[in-house]
Amino acid sequence: MDLIASFSVDHTRIVPGIFTSRVDTLGDQRVTTYDVRVTRPNVEPAVDVAAMHSLEHIIATYLRNDDQWKDEVIYWGPMGCLTGFYLILKDERAPREICDLLVAAFRSVEDADEVPGAQAVNCGNYRMHNLEMAKWHARRFADYLESHASESQIFEYPRSERLVTDDGRQFFDS
């Protein structure tokens, strides 16, 4: 069985940043999935699940209301490992091209007085939110993006090498 592309990213070397995870063609439309990595996997703690949930709500609301980007957004949601989010946009852009959008989206969390859609009628787990921790993570990530925006490592995936034995078995070497 082939390993999916996201498992070929070297998670021992990836840093927080914005990466192109994949580009797909759906009909005549190209869509890009971005890996928005908020913490360093296996080094920094994962984002608290309640804070991650709040970040998801606030940033999804921001992205889907931004006049320039709202028609481009297909999806915003958390990674299962709780180290970041996936953003799916129409068309294909380099990660650097959406950096300002993501800085603004994460900065919007700092200004939030409440988590949008955090009521039983709107959310499947409306009690699981942590706005203050979401603000902390958002501020930390936005500051990080701004201070490292000139560095390619926050926009380019480190890839692991696939070793293939003589009999065709594949192994990963980081």
Side-chain angles (χ1 to χ4, degrees), residues 14-60:
I14 195 170
V15 297
I18 307 163
F19 309 94
T20 298
S21 179
R22 60 185 291 154
V23 179
D24 296 293
T25 302
L26 303 174
D28 62 351
Q29 179 69 59
R30 291 183 67 79
V31 297
T32 305
T33 302
Y34 298 94
D35 171 335
V36 181
R37 196 64 63 143
V38 176
T39 66
R40 188 164 183 193
N42 305 308
V43 174
E44 297 176 323
V47 177
D48 170 76
V49 76
M52 189 70 126
H53 192 200
S54 297
L55 288 166
E56 175 195 11
H57 276 237
I58 297 166
I59 293 173

Side-chain angles (χ1 to χ4, degrees), residues 110-172:
E110 294 180 74
D111 298 329
D113 295 324
E114 63 183 15
V115 177
Q119 297 82 32
V121 70
N122 306 113
C123 179
N125 201 351
Y126 77 98
R127 291 184 186 104
M128 188 184 70
H129 285 280
N130 186 333
L131 180 56
E132 291 311 309
M133 279 304 299
K135 288 182 178 198
W136 184 86
H137 282 287
R139 181 174 38 258
R140 181 175 180 256
F141 186 59
D143 289 348
Y144 175 88
L145 287 178
E146 288 178 335
S147 66
H148 291 82
S150 64
E151 300 171 21
S152 63
Q153 72 176 356
I154 74 163
F155 299 113
E156 296 172 14
Y157 267 147
R159 298 282 180 186
S160 58
E161 297 295 321
R162 285 186 108 163
L163 302 177
V164 181
T165 64
D166 290 339
D167 62 352
R169 290 180 294 158
Q170 298 179 352
F171 294 92
F172 283 86

Side-chain angles (χ1 to χ4, degrees), residues 68-141:
Q68 180 182 350
W69 291 94
K70 65 183 176 186
D71 294 331
E72 304 299 312
V73 176
I74 295 171
Y75 175 78
W76 170 261
M79 295 177 175
C81 62
L82 301 176
T83 62
F85 294 88
Y86 288 112
L87 172 62
I88 303 176
L89 295 175
K90 293 177 184 175
D91 297 320
E92 184 176 357
R93 298 167 189 83
R96 285 182 193 276
E97 294 178 57
I98 63 166
C99 186
D100 288 343
L101 168 67
L102 288 169
V103 168
F106 278 84
R107 291 278 183 228
S108 77
V109 176
E110 294 180 74
D111 298 329
D113 295 324
E114 63 183 15
V115 177
Q119 297 82 32
V121 70
N122 306 113
C123 179
N125 201 351
Y126 77 98
R127 291 184 186 104
M128 188 184 70
H129 285 280
N130 186 333
L131 180 56
E132 291 311 309
M133 279 304 299
K135 288 182 178 198
W136 184 86
H137 282 287
R139 181 174 38 258
R140 181 175 180 256
F141 186 59

